[in-house]
Amino acid sequence: MTTEQFTFTVTKTDGAARTGEIRMPRGVIRTPAFMPVGTAATVKAMYPDQVKALGADVVLGNTYHLMLRPGAERVARLGGLHQFMNWPYPILTDSGGFQVMSLSALRKIDETGVTFQSHIDGSTHVLTPERSIEIQGLLGSDIQMQLDECVKLPCTDEVAEKAMRLSLRWAERCRVAFGEQPGKAMFGIVQGGAVERLRIESARELAALDLKGYAIGGLAVGEPQEVMLRMIETVEPHMPAEKPRYLMGVGTPDDIVEAVRRGVDMFDCVMPTRAGRHGQVFTRHGRMNLRNARFAEDTSPLDPESKCTASNTYSRAYLHHLVRSNEILGMMLLTWNNLAYYQELMAGLRKAIAEGRLESYIGEVKEGWAKGER
Ligand SMILES: CNc1nc2cc(C(=O)NN)ccc2[nH]1
């Protein structure tokens, strides 16, 4: 095992946008990358080899869910997450912090960590920076995220500042707890709400810790898109250009395109999978909700130009029927279509950047979405 087991190489740039490769023992992540969300050790309604076949190089696992059920120690006893869910490729796990704030009955947050009650059975749990890294290690995670405090927006500057500074102290504790794990990485998370000076301070303090990669957290939490984009523009110059940038929880195809333009390399979002389960589809011609009665006798496929069977074979009428009937196959086919489109978009972005024609590609995709949504 050489120490150089986790590398990131920027291969091409086009303005602030870049293509790159993260190389690690379990595989290569081509960036810009979209990570399908595999919350409870499954990308819902998908087979792992189907997810891989669409071009996903890495999936996300949620620490909060897995620590509660089946439990981190149990996953470790069963050989780790890769073996457990039959996904031998890279896995990024979040720290649990965001979901404690958004899902659990949060009991307390202090210097030590967060104390919360499980949304499943009400049992009390404590998540400290050290325990979060320990859990992610037990899961066998390849890219582990620091524990941080993610504030909801809008919030006062004071609230944002307090959470950002706590997150910086927790980043240091996570770095110590993570230690040296060749072939694995721990990413810091830039916080600071919608306050530019706080975002810059967070980015610069984290850069000094010389971590393997950096996330931009605390966005897509209710703020308008232009605020999110302004925060990305604010922090980007203060984030090491030679390290991956990961925008957490983002987003729609338009969010992703605008963030790639501004130098973001990695994304995760429940949008394509969750929306698919609720009848909403993403295509090159924009979004459609298959519950809508206008599709009841529409014999055309979702997208004949797509290579994905779910998109080019089944009629909208049939998909409408499945969705209205709440049939499992409806969730499967629409999830499949959505992830296929997201991965096709990422591949198109990577190709356009590599060929120095990102701006014209963005113009093309936006025109396609606009046409379809008329
Ligand atoms: C859907 N929006 C959204 N924002 C997120 C922010 C974080 C974060 O800051 N974690 N530390 C995680 C997941 C998110 N999902």
Tab-separated table of all heavy atoms in Angstrom, residues 6 22 24-29 35-43 48 56-63 66 75 79-94 136-137 139-145 178 183-187 246 266:
chain	number	residue	atom	x	y	z
A	6	PHE	N	-5.112	7.887	-2.388
A	6	PHE	CA	-6.299	8.681	-2.715
A	6	PHE	C	-5.773	9.905	-3.450
A	6	PHE	O	-5.061	10.718	-2.863
A	6	PHE	CB	-7.038	9.111	-1.438
A	6	PHE	CG	-8.239	9.987	-1.709
A	6	PHE	CD1	-9.523	9.477	-1.683
A	6	PHE	CD2	-8.078	11.345	-2.011
A	6	PHE	CE1	-10.633	10.288	-1.931
A	6	PHE	CE2	-9.169	12.169	-2.276
A	6	PHE	CZ	-10.453	11.637	-2.228
A	22	ILE	N	-10.996	11.305	-9.249
A	22	ILE	CA	-10.569	10.895	-7.910
A	22	ILE	C	-10.229	9.416	-8.018
A	22	ILE	O	-11.087	8.611	-8.424
A	22	ILE	CB	-11.677	11.088	-6.855
A	22	ILE	CG1	-12.095	12.557	-6.755
A	22	ILE	CG2	-11.206	10.579	-5.491
A	22	ILE	CD1	-13.234	12.817	-5.774
A	24	MET	N	-9.018	5.967	-6.126
A	24	MET	CA	-8.856	5.336	-4.810
A	24	MET	C	-8.953	3.832	-5.016
A	24	MET	O	-9.338	3.363	-6.096
A	24	MET	CB	-9.906	5.853	-3.834
A	24	MET	CG	-11.331	5.582	-4.230
A	24	MET	SD	-12.467	6.330	-3.066
A	24	MET	CE	-12.551	7.959	-3.733
A	25	PRO	N	-8.597	3.031	-4.015
A	25	PRO	CA	-8.528	1.575	-4.214
A	25	PRO	C	-9.802	0.969	-4.809
A	25	PRO	O	-9.720	0.092	-5.663
A	25	PRO	CB	-8.252	1.049	-2.813
A	25	PRO	CG	-7.510	2.149	-2.132
A	25	PRO	CD	-8.098	3.418	-2.685
A	26	ARG	N	-10.976	1.477	-4.415
A	26	ARG	CA	-12.209	0.833	-4.900
A	26	ARG	C	-12.685	1.358	-6.258
A	26	ARG	O	-13.729	0.940	-6.751
A	26	ARG	CB	-13.313	0.981	-3.859
A	26	ARG	CG	-13.154	0.045	-2.673
A	26	ARG	CD	-14.467	-0.208	-1.975
A	26	ARG	NE	-14.363	-1.271	-0.983
A	26	ARG	CZ	-14.049	-1.064	0.287
A	26	ARG	NH1	-13.820	0.178	0.710
A	26	ARG	NH2	-13.964	-2.081	1.138
A	27	GLY	N	-11.952	2.307	-6.796
A	27	GLY	CA	-12.350	2.736	-8.132
A	27	GLY	C	-12.042	4.197	-8.401
A	27	GLY	O	-11.465	4.900	-7.569
A	28	VAL	N	-12.439	4.662	-9.583
A	28	VAL	CA	-12.180	6.031	-10.012
A	28	VAL	C	-13.514	6.776	-10.060
A	28	VAL	O	-14.523	6.231	-10.546
A	28	VAL	CB	-11.536	6.040	-11.417
A	28	VAL	CG1	-11.288	7.464	-11.897
A	28	VAL	CG2	-10.226	5.250	-11.382
A	29	ILE	N	-13.531	7.991	-9.558
A	29	ILE	CA	-14.718	8.852	-9.646
A	29	ILE	C	-14.436	9.930	-10.680
A	29	ILE	O	-13.497	10.705	-10.517
A	29	ILE	CB	-15.037	9.512	-8.287
A	29	ILE	CG1	-15.295	8.458	-7.209
A	29	ILE	CG2	-16.250	10.441	-8.429
A	29	ILE	CD1	-15.477	9.045	-5.805
A	35	MET	N	-23.657	11.738	-7.251
A	35	MET	CA	-23.692	10.561	-6.384
A	35	MET	C	-25.141	10.224	-6.051
A	35	MET	O	-25.795	10.968	-5.301
A	35	MET	CB	-22.934	10.851	-5.085
A	35	MET	CG	-21.490	11.234	-5.306
A	35	MET	SD	-20.597	11.483	-3.767
A	35	MET	CE	-21.132	13.141	-3.346
A	36	PRO	N	-25.664	9.107	-6.559
A	36	PRO	CA	-27.018	8.710	-6.159
A	36	PRO	C	-27.043	8.449	-4.651
A	36	PRO	O	-26.053	7.974	-4.084
A	36	PRO	CB	-27.265	7.420	-6.939
A	36	PRO	CG	-26.327	7.498	-8.108
A	36	PRO	CD	-25.109	8.194	-7.587
A	37	VAL	N	-28.145	8.795	-4.014
A	37	VAL	CA	-28.248	8.656	-2.567
A	37	VAL	C	-28.761	7.260	-2.208
A	37	VAL	O	-29.805	6.835	-2.674
A	37	VAL	CB	-29.176	9.744	-1.984
A	37	VAL	CG1	-29.404	9.518	-0.492
A	37	VAL	CG2	-28.559	11.116	-2.221
A	38	GLY	N	-27.948	6.569	-1.396
A	38	GLY	CA	-28.287	5.200	-0.974
A	38	GLY	C	-28.557	5.174	0.522
A	38	GLY	O	-27.935	4.421	1.262
A	39	THR	N	-29.479	5.953	0.973
A	39	THR	CA	-29.725	6.252	2.396
A	39	THR	C	-29.584	5.050	3.330
A	39	THR	O	-28.715	5.043	4.206
A	39	THR	CB	-31.159	6.815	2.522
A	39	THR	OG1	-31.211	8.014	1.747
A	39	THR	CG2	-31.511	7.120	3.964
A	40	ALA	N	-30.417	4.032	3.171
A	40	ALA	CA	-30.431	2.898	4.124
A	40	ALA	C	-29.777	1.679	3.465
A	40	ALA	O	-30.340	0.599	3.437
A	40	ALA	CB	-31.867	2.597	4.531
A	41	ALA	N	-28.612	1.913	2.888
A	41	ALA	CA	-27.826	0.869	2.202
A	41	ALA	C	-28.518	0.372	0.939
A	41	ALA	O	-28.395	-0.799	0.567
A	41	ALA	CB	-27.516	-0.302	3.143
A	42	THR	N	-29.281	1.232	0.319
A	42	THR	CA	-29.863	0.928	-0.994
A	42	THR	C	-30.214	2.229	-1.694
A	42	THR	O	-30.731	3.162	-1.061
A	42	THR	CB	-31.159	0.084	-0.892
A	42	THR	OG1	-31.956	0.286	-2.066
A	42	THR	CG2	-32.008	0.446	0.326
A	43	VAL	N	-29.933	2.272	-3.002
A	43	VAL	CA	-30.444	3.386	-3.812
A	43	VAL	C	-31.877	2.946	-4.124
A	43	VAL	O	-32.092	1.996	-4.889
A	43	VAL	CB	-29.628	3.588	-5.102
A	43	VAL	CG1	-30.238	4.706	-5.966
A	43	VAL	CG2	-28.176	3.914	-4.749
A	48	PRO	N	-28.017	-2.431	-7.513
A	48	PRO	CA	-26.685	-1.810	-7.580
A	48	PRO	C	-26.058	-1.855	-8.973
A	48	PRO	O	-25.509	-0.855	-9.444
A	48	PRO	CB	-25.868	-2.632	-6.579
A	48	PRO	CG	-26.855	-3.258	-5.654
A	48	PRO	CD	-28.116	-3.443	-6.436
A	56	ALA	N	-22.824	5.801	-12.639
A	56	ALA	CA	-22.488	6.311	-11.295
A	56	ALA	C	-21.217	5.618	-10.808
A	56	ALA	O	-21.123	4.388	-10.834
A	56	ALA	CB	-23.636	6.034	-10.327
A	57	ASP	N	-20.242	6.419	-10.371
A	57	ASP	CA	-18.973	5.844	-9.893
A	57	ASP	C	-18.945	5.694	-8.376
A	57	ASP	O	-18.064	5.032	-7.823
A	57	ASP	CB	-17.798	6.771	-10.290
A	57	ASP	CG	-17.624	6.847	-11.807
A	57	ASP	OD1	-17.885	5.823	-12.475
A	57	ASP	OD2	-17.236	7.914	-12.314
A	58	VAL	N	-19.879	6.375	-7.697
A	58	VAL	CA	-19.881	6.440	-6.224
A	58	VAL	C	-21.322	6.681	-5.781
A	58	VAL	O	-22.097	7.335	-6.489
A	58	VAL	CB	-18.952	7.595	-5.738
A	58	VAL	CG1	-19.270	8.909	-6.451
A	58	VAL	CG2	-18.997	7.759	-4.238
A	59	VAL	N	-21.676	6.080	-4.633
A	59	VAL	CA	-22.997	6.353	-4.057
A	59	VAL	C	-22.807	6.893	-2.647
A	59	VAL	O	-21.741	6.732	-2.036
A	59	VAL	CB	-23.918	5.117	-4.024
A	59	VAL	CG1	-24.190	4.600	-5.426
A	59	VAL	CG2	-23.375	4.025	-3.111
A	60	LEU	N	-23.858	7.538	-2.133
A	60	LEU	CA	-23.817	8.118	-0.798
A	60	LEU	C	-24.579	7.239	0.188
A	60	LEU	O	-25.650	6.725	-0.137
A	60	LEU	CB	-24.451	9.517	-0.836
A	60	LEU	CG	-24.434	10.287	0.478
A	60	LEU	CD1	-24.026	11.739	0.259
A	60	LEU	CD2	-25.766	10.237	1.183
A	61	GLY	N	-24.006	7.062	1.371
A	61	GLY	CA	-24.700	6.372	2.465
A	61	GLY	C	-24.925	7.372	3.595
A	61	GLY	O	-24.105	8.252	3.823
A	62	ASN	N	-26.062	7.234	4.284
A	62	ASN	CA	-26.363	8.171	5.368
A	62	ASN	C	-26.018	7.576	6.732
A	62	ASN	O	-26.629	6.588	7.151
A	62	ASN	CB	-27.857	8.540	5.358
A	62	ASN	CG	-28.200	9.489	4.203
A	62	ASN	OD1	-29.109	9.218	3.455
A	62	ASN	ND2	-27.461	10.576	4.046
A	63	THR	N	-25.094	8.212	7.423
A	63	THR	CA	-24.683	7.733	8.746
A	63	THR	C	-25.844	7.712	9.735
A	63	THR	O	-26.024	6.733	10.472
A	63	THR	CB	-23.538	8.630	9.264
A	63	THR	OG1	-22.400	8.405	8.436
A	63	THR	CG2	-23.210	8.354	10.705
A	66	LEU	N	-28.073	4.648	9.072
A	66	LEU	CA	-27.406	3.346	9.262
A	66	LEU	C	-26.984	3.114	10.704
A	66	LEU	O	-26.971	1.972	11.177
A	66	LEU	CB	-26.205	3.259	8.310
A	66	LEU	CG	-26.585	3.219	6.821
A	66	LEU	CD1	-25.374	3.457	5.939
A	66	LEU	CD2	-27.280	1.908	6.467
A	75	VAL	N	-23.166	-3.634	10.826
A	75	VAL	CA	-22.690	-3.597	9.435
A	75	VAL	C	-21.230	-4.047	9.391
A	75	VAL	O	-20.836	-4.821	8.521
A	75	VAL	CB	-22.858	-2.184	8.833
A	75	VAL	CG1	-22.220	-2.107	7.443
A	75	VAL	CG2	-24.343	-1.808	8.749
A	79	GLY	N	-19.264	-7.419	7.462
A	79	GLY	CA	-18.271	-7.220	6.401
A	79	GLY	C	-18.211	-5.826	5.831
A	79	GLY	O	-17.488	-5.569	4.874
A	80	GLY	N	-18.995	-4.900	6.360
A	80	GLY	CA	-18.963	-3.517	5.876
A	80	GLY	C	-20.015	-3.261	4.800
A	80	GLY	O	-20.597	-4.192	4.224
A	81	LEU	N	-20.223	-1.983	4.537
A	81	LEU	CA	-21.326	-1.547	3.674
A	81	LEU	C	-21.188	-2.068	2.235
A	81	LEU	O	-22.166	-2.466	1.603
A	81	LEU	CB	-21.377	-0.010	3.695
A	81	LEU	CG	-22.672	0.699	3.368
A	81	LEU	CD1	-23.852	0.082	4.086
A	81	LEU	CD2	-22.548	2.185	3.716
A	82	HIS	N	-19.962	-2.095	1.712
A	82	HIS	CA	-19.774	-2.521	0.319
A	82	HIS	C	-20.282	-3.940	0.116
A	82	HIS	O	-21.028	-4.234	-0.814
A	82	HIS	CB	-18.295	-2.436	-0.076
A	82	HIS	CG	-17.737	-1.042	-0.028
A	82	HIS	ND1	-17.275	-0.477	1.155
A	82	HIS	CD2	-17.586	-0.098	-0.983
A	82	HIS	CE1	-16.852	0.753	0.893
A	82	HIS	NE2	-17.033	1.008	-0.385
A	83	GLN	N	-19.865	-4.814	1.051
A	83	GLN	CA	-20.294	-6.227	0.958
A	83	GLN	C	-21.784	-6.327	1.261
A	83	GLN	O	-22.535	-6.983	0.547
A	83	GLN	CB	-19.484	-7.051	1.967
A	83	GLN	CG	-19.739	-8.548	1.867
A	83	GLN	CD	-18.694	-9.345	2.636
A	83	GLN	OE1	-17.555	-8.903	2.798
A	83	GLN	NE2	-19.099	-10.495	3.141
A	84	PHE	N	-22.224	-5.604	2.297
A	84	PHE	CA	-23.628	-5.655	2.752
A	84	PHE	C	-24.581	-5.317	1.608
A	84	PHE	O	-25.543	-6.041	1.369
A	84	PHE	CB	-23.781	-4.647	3.897
A	84	PHE	CG	-25.062	-4.731	4.701
A	84	PHE	CD1	-25.524	-5.926	5.226
A	84	PHE	CD2	-25.789	-3.574	4.947
A	84	PHE	CE1	-26.697	-5.983	5.991
A	84	PHE	CE2	-26.969	-3.615	5.705
A	84	PHE	CZ	-27.415	-4.817	6.224
A	85	MET	N	-24.271	-4.262	0.870
A	85	MET	CA	-25.233	-3.804	-0.172
A	85	MET	C	-24.804	-4.177	-1.583
A	85	MET	O	-25.399	-3.737	-2.562
A	85	MET	CB	-25.456	-2.286	-0.051
A	85	MET	CG	-24.274	-1.411	-0.402
A	85	MET	SD	-24.585	0.346	-0.092
A	85	MET	CE	-25.643	0.769	-1.493
A	86	ASN	N	-23.693	-4.963	-1.673
A	86	ASN	CA	-23.229	-5.408	-2.989
A	86	ASN	C	-22.900	-4.235	-3.912
A	86	ASN	O	-23.329	-4.188	-5.075
A	86	ASN	CB	-24.280	-6.327	-3.644
A	86	ASN	CG	-23.738	-7.001	-4.907
A	86	ASN	OD1	-22.527	-7.202	-5.042
A	86	ASN	ND2	-24.623	-7.276	-5.848
A	87	TRP	N	-22.155	-3.256	-3.333
A	87	TRP	CA	-21.673	-2.123	-4.122
A	87	TRP	C	-20.155	-2.050	-3.868
A	87	TRP	O	-19.711	-1.471	-2.867
A	87	TRP	CB	-22.348	-0.801	-3.714
A	87	TRP	CG	-21.803	0.420	-4.419
A	87	TRP	CD1	-20.850	1.284	-3.937
A	87	TRP	CD2	-22.151	0.909	-5.731
A	87	TRP	NE1	-20.592	2.287	-4.869
A	87	TRP	CE2	-21.366	2.080	-5.964
A	87	TRP	CE3	-23.037	0.496	-6.730
A	87	TRP	CZ2	-21.454	2.816	-7.152
A	87	TRP	CZ3	-23.133	1.214	-7.906
A	87	TRP	CH2	-22.352	2.369	-8.112
A	88	PRO	N	-19.350	-2.702	-4.707
A	88	PRO	CA	-17.904	-2.792	-4.435
A	88	PRO	C	-17.138	-1.513	-4.765
A	88	PRO	O	-15.932	-1.453	-4.559
A	88	PRO	CB	-17.454	-3.949	-5.335
A	88	PRO	CG	-18.440	-3.994	-6.450
A	88	PRO	CD	-19.744	-3.481	-5.906
A	89	TYR	N	-17.833	-0.500	-5.261
A	89	TYR	CA	-17.160	0.725	-5.725
A	89	TYR	C	-17.130	1.757	-4.586
A	89	TYR	O	-17.638	1.497	-3.501
A	89	TYR	CB	-17.907	1.262	-6.953
A	89	TYR	CG	-18.187	0.175	-7.972
A	89	TYR	CD1	-19.473	-0.345	-8.095
A	89	TYR	CD2	-17.169	-0.391	-8.740
A	89	TYR	CE1	-19.743	-1.376	-9.005
A	89	TYR	CE2	-17.430	-1.424	-9.633
A	89	TYR	CZ	-18.710	-1.902	-9.766
A	89	TYR	OH	-18.978	-2.935	-10.637
A	90	PRO	N	-16.592	2.949	-4.816
A	90	PRO	CA	-16.514	3.944	-3.740
A	90	PRO	C	-17.870	4.306	-3.130
A	90	PRO	O	-18.885	4.357	-3.826
A	90	PRO	CB	-15.894	5.160	-4.432
A	90	PRO	CG	-15.040	4.564	-5.512
A	90	PRO	CD	-15.811	3.371	-6.000
A	91	ILE	N	-17.835	4.523	-1.821
A	91	ILE	CA	-19.007	5.007	-1.067
A	91	ILE	C	-18.564	6.226	-0.273
A	91	ILE	O	-17.508	6.207	0.368
A	91	ILE	CB	-19.549	3.931	-0.106
A	91	ILE	CG1	-20.132	2.742	-0.881
A	91	ILE	CG2	-20.617	4.530	0.822
A	91	ILE	CD1	-20.608	1.588	-0.001
A	92	LEU	N	-19.354	7.292	-0.367
A	92	LEU	CA	-19.167	8.473	0.483
A	92	LEU	C	-20.274	8.453	1.531
A	92	LEU	O	-21.439	8.223	1.180
A	92	LEU	CB	-19.257	9.748	-0.362
A	92	LEU	CG	-19.079	11.087	0.361
A	92	LEU	CD1	-18.415	12.122	-0.563
A	92	LEU	CD2	-20.401	11.644	0.883
A	93	THR	N	-19.898	8.643	2.790
A	93	THR	CA	-20.933	8.712	3.829
A	93	THR	C	-20.958	10.114	4.405
A	93	THR	O	-19.916	10.748	4.567
A	93	THR	CB	-20.625	7.735	4.993
A	93	THR	OG1	-19.268	7.890	5.393
A	93	THR	CG2	-20.916	6.303	4.591
A	94	ASP	N	-22.170	10.605	4.700
A	94	ASP	CA	-22.223	11.901	5.359
A	94	ASP	C	-22.037	11.647	6.857
A	94	ASP	O	-21.953	10.504	7.305
A	94	ASP	CB	-23.533	12.621	5.033
A	94	ASP	CG	-24.731	11.942	5.674
A	94	ASP	OD1	-24.527	10.974	6.429
A	94	ASP	OD2	-25.859	12.377	5.398
A	136	GLN	N	-18.485	5.935	10.565
A	136	GLN	CA	-18.169	5.896	9.123
A	136	GLN	C	-17.065	4.885	8.841
A	136	GLN	O	-17.077	4.198	7.824
A	136	GLN	CB	-17.813	7.298	8.618
A	136	GLN	CG	-19.004	8.281	8.718
A	136	GLN	CD	-18.633	9.684	8.271
A	136	GLN	OE1	-18.418	9.958	7.096
A	136	GLN	NE2	-18.548	10.598	9.247
A	137	GLY	N	-16.123	4.746	9.800
A	137	GLY	CA	-15.074	3.734	9.656
A	137	GLY	C	-15.645	2.328	9.744
A	137	GLY	O	-15.303	1.447	8.958
A	139	LEU	N	-18.563	1.424	8.956
A	139	LEU	CA	-19.328	1.168	7.725
A	139	LEU	C	-18.396	0.825	6.576
A	139	LEU	O	-18.793	0.230	5.583
A	139	LEU	CB	-20.185	2.390	7.368
A	139	LEU	CG	-21.279	2.777	8.391
A	139	LEU	CD1	-21.956	4.082	7.972
A	139	LEU	CD2	-22.308	1.658	8.532
A	140	GLY	N	-17.110	1.220	6.722
A	140	GLY	CA	-16.135	0.970	5.652
A	140	GLY	C	-16.131	2.060	4.603
A	140	GLY	O	-15.681	1.864	3.469
A	141	SER	N	-16.613	3.221	4.956
A	141	SER	CA	-16.753	4.340	4.027
A	141	SER	C	-15.411	4.750	3.418
A	141	SER	O	-14.395	4.796	4.111
A	141	SER	CB	-17.351	5.544	4.768
A	141	SER	OG	-17.274	6.709	3.972
A	142	ASP	N	-15.406	5.076	2.125
A	142	ASP	CA	-14.163	5.502	1.458
A	142	ASP	C	-13.930	6.998	1.632
A	142	ASP	O	-12.804	7.456	1.771
A	142	ASP	CB	-14.258	5.186	-0.040
A	142	ASP	CG	-14.490	3.698	-0.274
A	142	ASP	OD1	-13.562	2.918	-0.006
A	142	ASP	OD2	-15.604	3.322	-0.681
A	143	ILE	N	-15.011	7.781	1.583
A	143	ILE	CA	-14.904	9.228	1.798
A	143	ILE	C	-15.838	9.567	2.955
A	143	ILE	O	-17.051	9.342	2.864
A	143	ILE	CB	-15.294	10.041	0.549
A	143	ILE	CG1	-14.385	9.675	-0.641
A	143	ILE	CG2	-15.202	11.549	0.836
A	143	ILE	CD1	-14.752	10.383	-1.951
A	144	GLN	N	-15.230	10.051	4.040
A	144	GLN	CA	-15.973	10.314	5.271
A	144	GLN	C	-16.104	11.822	5.458
A	144	GLN	O	-15.166	12.565	5.140
A	144	GLN	CB	-15.248	9.664	6.452
A	144	GLN	CG	-15.047	8.169	6.232
A	144	GLN	CD	-14.268	7.461	7.316
A	144	GLN	OE1	-14.180	7.932	8.455
A	144	GLN	NE2	-13.706	6.306	6.978
A	145	MET	N	-17.257	12.259	5.935
A	145	MET	CA	-17.494	13.680	6.120
A	145	MET	C	-17.361	14.063	7.590
A	145	MET	O	-17.744	13.299	8.463
A	145	MET	CB	-18.893	14.065	5.638
A	145	MET	CG	-19.190	13.759	4.177
A	145	MET	SD	-17.970	14.403	3.026
A	145	MET	CE	-18.243	16.156	3.226
A	178	PHE	N	-9.877	10.651	12.564
A	178	PHE	CA	-9.704	9.918	11.300
A	178	PHE	C	-8.274	9.403	11.163
A	178	PHE	O	-8.038	8.296	10.685
A	178	PHE	CB	-10.058	10.840	10.122
A	178	PHE	CG	-9.926	10.201	8.764
A	178	PHE	CD1	-10.923	9.375	8.267
A	178	PHE	CD2	-8.789	10.414	7.989
A	178	PHE	CE1	-10.796	8.778	7.007
A	178	PHE	CE2	-8.646	9.822	6.742
A	178	PHE	CZ	-9.662	9.000	6.243
A	183	GLY	N	-5.847	5.420	1.188
A	183	GLY	CA	-6.914	4.931	0.315
A	183	GLY	C	-8.262	5.478	0.692
A	183	GLY	O	-9.248	5.276	-0.009
A	184	LYS	N	-8.325	6.151	1.854
A	184	LYS	CA	-9.588	6.766	2.275
A	184	LYS	C	-9.368	8.261	2.451
A	184	LYS	O	-8.236	8.747	2.412
A	184	LYS	CB	-10.066	6.130	3.584
A	184	LYS	CG	-10.318	4.641	3.422
A	184	LYS	CD	-11.133	4.064	4.552
A	184	LYS	CE	-11.483	2.609	4.209
A	184	LYS	NZ	-12.387	1.996	5.196
A	185	ALA	N	-10.465	8.976	2.618
A	185	ALA	CA	-10.349	10.431	2.750
A	185	ALA	C	-11.386	10.940	3.729
A	185	ALA	O	-12.438	10.310	3.905
A	185	ALA	CB	-10.578	11.090	1.398
A	186	MET	N	-11.041	12.049	4.379
A	186	MET	CA	-12.025	12.766	5.179
A	186	MET	C	-12.144	14.179	4.603
A	186	MET	O	-11.117	14.822	4.336
A	186	MET	CB	-11.591	12.827	6.639
A	186	MET	CG	-12.734	13.169	7.569
A	186	MET	SD	-12.118	14.040	8.994
A	186	MET	CE	-12.045	15.708	8.400
A	187	PHE	N	-13.353	14.589	4.336
A	187	PHE	CA	-13.581	15.917	3.777
A	187	PHE	C	-14.072	16.863	4.876
A	187	PHE	O	-14.874	16.457	5.729
A	187	PHE	CB	-14.660	15.883	2.677
A	187	PHE	CG	-14.219	15.365	1.338
A	187	PHE	CD1	-13.022	14.674	1.155
A	187	PHE	CD2	-15.035	15.560	0.227
A	187	PHE	CE1	-12.637	14.191	-0.102
A	187	PHE	CE2	-14.675	15.080	-1.039
A	187	PHE	CZ	-13.466	14.395	-1.200
A	246	TYR	N	-17.296	19.567	-3.129
A	246	TYR	CA	-18.535	18.762	-3.103
A	246	TYR	C	-19.641	19.634	-2.537
A	246	TYR	O	-19.582	20.066	-1.397
A	246	TYR	CB	-18.258	17.524	-2.245
A	246	TYR	CG	-19.447	16.770	-1.680
A	246	TYR	CD1	-20.680	16.695	-2.336
A	246	TYR	CD2	-19.334	16.090	-0.469
A	246	TYR	CE1	-21.751	15.987	-1.799
A	246	TYR	CE2	-20.396	15.375	0.068
A	246	TYR	CZ	-21.599	15.328	-0.597
A	246	TYR	OH	-22.654	14.621	-0.062
A	266	MET	N	-18.512	17.674	-7.225
A	266	MET	CA	-19.305	16.514	-6.757
A	266	MET	C	-20.646	16.990	-6.214
A	266	MET	O	-20.732	18.085	-5.614
A	266	MET	CB	-18.544	15.789	-5.627
A	266	MET	CG	-17.193	15.226	-6.026
A	266	MET	SD	-16.203	14.807	-4.572
A	266	MET	CE	-17.053	13.300	-4.049
